[in-house]
């Protein structure tokens, strides 16, 4: 992730996604929230396309 050049708010959102991926199973299984949350993570990325890097 050190190679990413993102705004602080965007980086924070990416870190939230990583946290969910790492700990989602714990929330669902160990904390008994499987009936309250859906498995997986959904994210919508939007904005202008970046120019191709060469």
């Amino acid at each position: 992730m050190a190679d990413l050049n993102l705004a602080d708010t965007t980086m924070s959102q990416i870190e939230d996604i990583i946290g969910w991926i790492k700990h989602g199973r714990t929330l669902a299984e160990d904390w008994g929230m499987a009936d309250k949350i859906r498995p997986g993570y959904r994210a919508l990325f939007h904005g202008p396309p970046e120019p191709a890097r060469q």
Side-chain angles (χ1 to χ4, degrees):
M1 291 213 343
D3 293 340
L4 290 177
N5 183 16
L6 301 172
D8 290 342
T9 55
T10 303
M11 184 60 79
S12 177
Q13 292 169 337
I14 296 294
E15 290 168 353
D16 288 346
I17 293 170
I18 292 169
W20 177 260
I21 291 169
K22 286 182 179 179
H23 304 293
R25 178 171 282 165
T26 299
L27 289 171
E29 295 175 4
D30 297 345
W31 292 16
M33 298 181 68
D35 60 337
K36 296 177 177 48
I37 57 175
R38 295 174 68 184
Y41 193 92
R42 292 127 193 98
L44 175 62
F45 296 93
H46 65 92
E50 294 292 323
R53 294 184 185 181
Q54 295 185 17

